[in-house]
Amino acid sequence: MTENTQQTPASNPELPTQYAPAEVEGKLYERWVERGYFEADATSDKPPFTVVIPPPNVTGSLHLGHAFEHTLIDALTRRKRMQGYETLWQPGMDHAGIATQNVVERELAKEGKSRHDLGREAFIDRVWQWKGESGGQISGQMKRLGDGVAWSRERFTMDEGLSQAVQTIFKKLYDDELIYRAERIINWCPRCLTAISDIEVEYQDDDGELVSIRYGEGDDSIVVATTRAETMLGDTAVAVHPEDDRYRHLVGKEIELPLTGRRIPVVADEHVDPEFGTGAVKVTPAHDPNDFEIGQRHGLPSLAVMDEHAIITAHGPFQGLDRLEARSAIVGALRAEGRIVAEKRPYVHSVGHCSRCKTTIEPRLSMQWWVKVGPLAKAAGDAVRDGRVKIHPQEMEKRYFDWVDNLHDWCISRQLWWGHRIPVWYGPNGEIVCVGPDEQPPSGEGWTQETDVLDTWFSSGLWPFSTLGWPEQTESLAKFYPNSVLVTGYDILFFWVARMMMFGLYAMDGTPPFHTIALHGMVRDQFGKKMSKSFGNAVNPLDWMDKYGSDALRFTLARGANPGVDVPIGEDWVQGSRNFANKIWNATRFALMNGATIEGELPDPSQMSATDRWILSKLNKTVAEVDAFYDDFQFSKLSEALFHFAWDEVFDWYVELSKTTFFAGGEQAKVSGRVLGEVLDVMLRLLHPIVPFVTETLWTTLTGKETLVTADWPKDSGFRDKAAEQEIELVQQVVTEVRRFRSDQGLQPGQKVPAELTLTGTALAPHEAAIRQLLRLQPAGDGFHATASLPVAGTTVALDLSGTIDVEAERKRLAKDLGAAEKEKAQANAKLGNEAFLAKAPDNVVDKIRTRLAKADADIARITAQLANLPQS
């Protein structure tokens, strides 16, 4: 706990009767930004804590996945700021090459124009214009959520500094022979007319067709199956497994490729699975990545039979057809020749689609620029293996190693106009010159720059250090690199995270870009289903923030965040979190109106009641627990701990137990008022990183201080009082048991009942007034007749229920329930006593019957006790 040395509020500070998030959140956030609370000073002598935002696309808007991730990062950084760290949460956006180009091209299409009508320079100017007017709406939405980012440091992957970083590292990689140009198979989008990365390919099950085609004649024939019949025009071999006896006589021979008149060889390759299909596969090196590898091993030619628009270019009757038109035509021609052995329609199989335009991806042989990832990936793997970088949760390490240990060279060129243009010039005589940021490109007749741009992931891979000024050796780079932690989804562990690891280690002399990678899951709907517009379950987080407040959304997301596990969320849960925010508000308002204060030192424990000492003991335990959960990225557990401490311990028990003290007034009320003020002070500090708006409003009212954003994070003072905890546990037992009895007897919560409490000489004696208040128990006056006696917690509570319930009706109801429970027990016992049944029944069925028996036993015991406690007629 912390000392309070600044000014204290005026007596009886007032709060509105209801919390209205819409009236509070926007104004508070503006004040935080204006006062510079989120900015980071590179010259500070405080220890650094750095987190980068996974840069959202400039075309994007805030979705629940963003809100979830930002909530977790904001909670971490707000806590570290309160702990005295020089905290930098680095904001910015990604230029999102293909997505942004598509957006602007669609805008041009409305004007009846294409980018080619404008030309490259004018088109890029148009994109910058769009970015200035419409891009980056997500920044405003981040402010709605409460993101505590250093806005003055906001970066964009196409700004001047980051462009210099991109050119610098490209040149360095090129000079180190880690970047090269080669013809390979890539993912090609015939609509966007560019290569795209693996992460930009979305796979879905499509209805297709599987056709089995006979190549060759007689004993020299062989059957292959394919879902892409149009690519057979580019076949240059048929492959079989070397150990497959069925085809051993054909290996090395040539057979005729139908429809083409060409003869192609049969080759033996261990890649072929002899158990799959016919055990023979067609080999089309120019249109399939696996076939390309087979072709390389066997020296096969690569025949491209489609252009960049996926139009057939092979000579013959199919030339000029779209790939899907050609597929149907080719199958028809093969059928006419009697070459179709079998057809399966529909044949459901996984097909890759462009994530931007949903066009089916075409594997295509193409001249592209590549990063040789072998040594870079090894360094990225070693950094985790030797402990320089921790992956959390640890079980995700295997997925990381599976990826980086088997990483293929990375295609980094894109056939777009928007993006970082590759800094390579081609000369008239085949010269290739790579130009660094401080070098002049070659000039003269015949020199041209590469038209391709770099994959977006190339520039975002530099994000942890390019945003700090690299390649310049800036104060910010020295202070804030490496990042303390990266918080991101496990779905981009392989793509963005691996690239940052490779580039960070390479550019920063072996220093990894972050100490810890904290992986979270995906947000799903309340039934665990992926959120999607097509499923009709996608949610705009702004709608829930408008309805329930940003704190409610944040708390719901944090409460569901178990490391590396997907997060289900439903509107009911957000509504429940809104209720929690309201509970904090109402309880704090009550406390402030009844003497809660931080004025003066905390009284000595000898002056406190057991209730006061109990809540302070619980408070310090909660501080320690929350710290441990934060350090282990257990957001769900720390949220649960805070929820139950605030709602259960503070509001439902401490405040209620202390009401009689507050109402009585006097010195003890002052002591409890100071204790309650301390509890609220610390509790609001603990809650602040997750629910910043409501806690800021309440804490500044309680303390009179400027802001909670830069207040000290609470520390466990070490205060524990086991005796007080045990004493209050006894009180809780009494109250809980009597409340249960009252409910069982059908009494209304507010209904008053005469009672006699035998508390003299017990630890419960000082709490009689509070117990009576909580249980609505009147003193036992004249005519008191104990009709029910409850032994609990070493004492006895006698109640006079005469006139409060219909005893005979209640006895009949309970007798009926008892009969049903005894029948259930008899049935369960009969089955469990039947050896024949037990021998045949599955384990889960037997377990269910045992569970039913246990419940029946518990019901019988409960109902029997209720009957015994009924007043005697």
Side-chain angles (χ1 to χ4, degrees):
M1 288 177 284
T2 56
E3 293 184 0
N4 296 282
T5 56
Q6 298 184 35
Q7 71 272 22
T8 55
S11 59
N12 299 320
E14 293 185 0
L15 286 167
T17 55
Q18 290 184 326
Y19 177 50
E23 297 176 11
V24 170
E25 293 175 350
K27 295 175 183 176
L28 266 187
Y29 192 85
E30 286 180 12
R31 189 173 74 193
W32 290 337
V33 173
E34 287 171 1
R35 297 185 180 181
Y37 295 147
F38 304 140
E39 296 303 323
D41 181 3
T43 65
S44 165
D45 58 2
K46 296 179 182 178
F49 183 83
T50 316
V51 181
V52 294
I53 190 174
N57 288 353
V58 67
T59 59
S61 60
L62 193 74
H63 56 64
L64 269 179
H66 287 127
F68 172 56
E69 187 168 77
H70 290 200
T71 294
L72 304 188
I73 299 174
D74 198 40
L76 288 176
T77 53
R78 283 179 182 271
R79 173 178 176 252
K80 286 295 182 181
R81 190 178 292 112
M82 295 172 74
Q83 286 182 315
Y85 286 79
E86 193 61 43
T87 302
L88 170 61
W89 182 8
Q90 173 67 54
M93 287 181 290
D94 193 289
H95 65 279
I98 191 170
T100 305
Q101 181 157 317
N102 280 347
V103 168
V104 178
E105 285 194 85
R106 284 196 294 269
E107 293 297 314
L108 285 174
K110 295 176 184 177
E111 303 171 15
K113 297 177 182 178
S114 74
R115 61 181 163 122
H116 299 285
D117 294 325
L118 271 66
R120 184 167 190 143
E121 289 188 11
F123 176 76
I124 291 173
D125 287 343
R126 182 68 176 263
V127 178
W128 278 108
Q129 179 185 341
W130 174 87
K131 192 254 181 188
E133 295 173 355
S134 306
Q137 62 174 312
I138 201 168
S139 296
Q141 296 165 342
M142 287 167 58
K143 295 174 181 177
R144 281 288 314 278
L145 188 65
D147 288 2
V149 300
W151 286 112
S152 69
R153 291 173 172 267
E154 186 175 14
R155 302 304 298 269
F156 180 54
T157 51
M158 284 285 286
D159 69 26
E160 184 177 351
L162 270 65
S163 295
Q164 182 185 21
V166 168
Q167 194 172 354
T168 299
I169 202 162
F170 187 99
K171 170 70 171 173
K172 180 174 170 59
L173 288 163
Y174 182 86
D175 290 346
D176 288 345
E177 298 183 349
L178 293 173
I179 281 182
Y180 63 94
R181 190 170 182 245
E183 195 173 40
R184 299 274 183 86
I185 293 283
I186 44 85
N187 300 309
W188 181 265
C189 176
R191 155 62 183 79
C192 299
L193 299 181
T194 181
I196 64 174
S197 67
D198 291 338
I199 199 172
E200 292 167 318
V201 178
E202 293 180 347
Y203 288 90
Q204 65 184 49
D205 289 339
D206 286 357
D207 286 344
E209 61 179 350
L210 180 69
V211 293
S212 298
I213 310 168
R214 177 172 53 82
Y215 288 15
E217 301 292 343
D219 292 340
D220 288 347
S221 67
I222 195 166
V223 175
V224 299
T226 182
T227 58
R228 301 168 67 220
E230 68 279 8
T231 63
M232 68 162 290
L233 301 176
D235 287 359
T236 57
V238 171
V240 299
H241 194 274
E243 304 300 322
D244 195 333
D245 291 336
R246 293 172 295 176
Y247 304 117
R248 196 183 298 274
H249 68 290
L250 288 176
V251 174
K253 290 186 177 181
E254 289 188 344
I255 57 176
E256 183 176 341
L257 178 66
L259 304 182
T260 67
R262 288 192 290 113
R263 295 186 67 78
I264 59 175
V266 177
V267 300
D269 195 280
E270 291 187 351
H271 170 75
V272 179
D273 181 0
E275 304 297 324
F276 182 77
T278 64
V281 297
K282 59 192 287 298
V283 181
T284 320
H287 293 280
D288 184 276
N290 293 321
D291 292 3
F292 178 79
E293 297 296 333
I294 294 174
Q296 292 289 296
R297 287 193 288 272
H298 296 276
L300 301 174
S302 296
L303 301 181
V305 296
M306 276 181 256
D307 67 9
E308 60 185 4
H309 297 278
I311 301 298
I312 300 298
T313 58
H315 295 299
F318 312 109
Q319 186 175 6
L321 294 179
D322 173 80
R323 56 183 166 168
L324 299 181
E325 296 172 334
R327 181 177 300 171
S328 177
I330 287 170
V331 170
L334 290 167
R335 190 183 299 112
E337 288 191 5
R339 294 281 179 179
I340 300 296
V341 176
E343 296 180 71
K344 185 175 181 181
R345 293 192 189 90
Y347 178 73
V348 179
H349 61 132
S350 182
V351 178
H353 296 259
C354 174
S355 63
R356 305 302 176 188
C357 69
K358 310 309 176 187
T359 301
T360 300
I361 290 301
E362 191 64 45
R364 184 169 188 254
L365 185 64
S366 178
M367 182 68 75
Q368 302 285 344
W369 285 92
W370 304 80
V371 171
K372 185 186 297 183
V373 300
L376 303 175
K378 181 181 183 303
D382 289 346
V384 175
R385 285 189 170 95
D386 64 25
R388 282 175 289 158
V389 178
K390 304 288 186 184
I391 292 180
H392 192 280
Q394 190 174 1
E395 54 265 28
M396 287 286 182
E397 282 186 3
K398 184 180 183 301
R399 298 180 65 180
Y400 176 79
F401 292 136
D402 287 345
W403 179 258
V404 298
D405 292 347
N406 299 284
L407 201 56
H408 295 153
D409 285 0
W410 170 22
C411 176
I412 55 172
S413 46
R414 299 290 180 267
Q415 290 65 55
L416 304 170
W417 286 356
W418 173 245
H420 295 101
R421 193 167 176 179
I422 292 177
V424 167
W425 272 255
Y426 302 111
N429 299 310
E431 303 95 332
I432 299 179
V433 176
C434 180
V435 177
D438 299 321
E439 300 172 352
Q440 288 295 321
S443 58
E445 187 175 348
W447 283 94
T448 58
Q449 186 179 356
E450 169 65 72
T451 57
D452 288 355
V453 301
L454 288 163
D455 177 13
T456 299
W457 295 99
F458 191 94
S459 52
S460 61
L462 314 180
W463 193 248
F465 52 93
S466 64
T467 52
L468 298 173
W470 188 89
E472 301 299 324
Q473 298 304 306
T474 64
E475 287 183 327
S476 290
L477 188 64
K479 178 73 173 180
F480 296 113
Y481 187 92
N483 289 190
S484 306
V485 61
L486 174 74
V487 179
T488 192
Y490 63 70
D491 58 323
I492 56 174
L493 172 65
F494 315 130
F495 304 102
W496 185 47
V497 178
R499 280 149 175 68
M500 286 190 291
M501 285 286 284
M502 291 191 296
F503 281 168
L505 290 159
Y506 175 74
M508 300 300 292
D509 300 321
T511 301
F514 17 74
H515 297 302
T516 302
I517 301 168
L519 298 170
H520 59 72
M522 305 295 102
V523 176
R524 297 182 178 274
D525 71 12
Q526 59 188 315
F527 306 108
K529 189 175 182 180
K530 179 181 178 181
M531 285 193 172
S532 166
K533 289 181 180 178
S534 60
F535 294 155
N537 63 349
V539 173
N540 182 346
L542 294 177
D543 292 341
W544 281 352
M545 286 192 279
D546 288 342
K547 195 170 182 180
Y548 303 111
S550 299
D551 283 333
L553 177 63
R554 289 171 62 113
F555 192 75
T556 304
L557 292 167
R559 201 174 180 186
N562 289 298
V565 179
D566 288 347
V567 183
I569 183 173
E571 185 169 1
D572 288 350
W573 306 342
V574 185
Q575 185 174 355
S577 295
R578 187 272 313 274
N579 295 343
F580 179 51
N582 287 343
K583 182 77 171 180
I584 299 170
W585 181 273
N586 293 333
T588 303
R589 184 171 178 272
F590 169 85
L592 289 171
M593 293 171 62
N594 287 275
T597 179
I598 64 163
E599 187 172 1
E601 295 295 322
L602 198 61
D604 187 84
S606 62
Q607 298 176 270
M608 299 179 189
S609 66
T611 308
D612 294 333
R613 298 194 305 275
W614 163 75
I615 197 62
L616 290 177
S617 187
K618 288 285 188 179
L619 176 66
N620 279 283
K621 283 184 176 180
T622 302
V623 172
E625 193 175 30
V626 168
D627 274 334
F629 287 143
Y630 260 118
D631 292 340
D632 199 34
F633 304 102
Q634 297 281 358
F635 294 97
S636 178
K637 290 182 178 179
L638 72 90
S639 299
E640 285 295 315
L642 288 169
F643 175 86
H644 289 295
F645 175 74
W647 195 303
D648 300 344
E649 309 287 9
V650 179
F651 304 146
D652 279 359
W653 284 109
Y654 180 72
V655 169
E656 293 300 321
L657 286 171
S658 300
K659 278 183 178 179
T660 53
T661 302
F662 290 136
F663 295 160
E667 287 302 312
Q668 193 58 52
K670 292 181 181 178
V671 170
S672 293
R674 180 64 188 86
V675 169
L676 180 54
E678 182 76 7
V679 171
L680 291 176
D681 176 20
V682 174
M683 183 191 76
L684 292 172
R685 292 172 195 250
L686 292 174
L687 282 164
H688 177 71
I690 297 177
V691 285
F693 294 107
V694 66
T695 53
E696 171 86 343
T697 305
L698 295 173
W699 189 84
T700 53
T701 303
L702 170 70
T703 66
K705 297 177 185 178
E706 180 181 294
T707 183
L708 186 46
V709 177
T710 56
D712 292 338
W713 181 252
K715 294 180 180 178
D716 176 8
S717 71
F719 178 81
R720 302 288 190 275
D721 193 321
K722 189 173 182 179
E725 289 188 34
Q726 292 174 338
E727 185 172 323
I728 300 305
E729 284 173 10
L730 292 176
V731 175
Q732 292 172 326
Q733 286 179 36
V734 171
V735 172
T736 301
E737 287 300 317
V738 177
R739 277 177 173 167
R740 182 180 294 120
F741 176 78
R742 287 177 57 111
S743 176
D744 289 341
Q745 303 308 316
L747 297 178
Q748 295 299 314
Q751 190 171 352
K752 294 183 178 180
V753 177
E756 188 176 75
L757 277 62
T758 310
L759 305 179
T760 305
T762 72
L764 293 167
H767 305 283
E768 179 170 354
I771 291 172
R772 287 186 176 277
Q773 170 70 24
L774 288 170
L775 293 172
R776 304 295 188 266
L777 301 180
Q778 293 177 320
D782 294 339
F784 175 81
H785 175 60
T787 58
S789 184
L790 303 178
V792 57
T795 188
T796 301
V797 178
L799 304 173
D800 183 355
L801 301 181
S802 56
T804 60
I805 59 173
D806 185 333
V807 176
E808 286 307 312
E810 184 66 12
R811 195 182 302 281
K812 288 179 182 179
R813 183 185 71 80
L814 290 172
K816 182 179 178 182
D817 290 348
L818 181 61
E822 288 173 337
K823 182 179 179 181
E824 175 74 2
K825 178 179 180 177
Q827 290 175 343
N829 273 328
K831 288 188 176 181
L832 293 174
N834 185 335
E835 294 297 333
F837 170 78
L838 292 176
K840 295 179 181 178
D843 289 345
N844 66 317
V845 173
V846 176
D847 288 342
K848 285 182 180 179
I849 294 171
R850 287 185 177 131
T851 301
R852 284 168 49 195
L853 177 60
K855 182 179 184 301
D857 280 335
D859 287 345
I860 290 169
R862 175 179 55 81
I863 297 168
T864 301
Q866 288 177 238
L867 281 166
N869 284 318
L870 279 176
Q872 298 303 309
S873 55

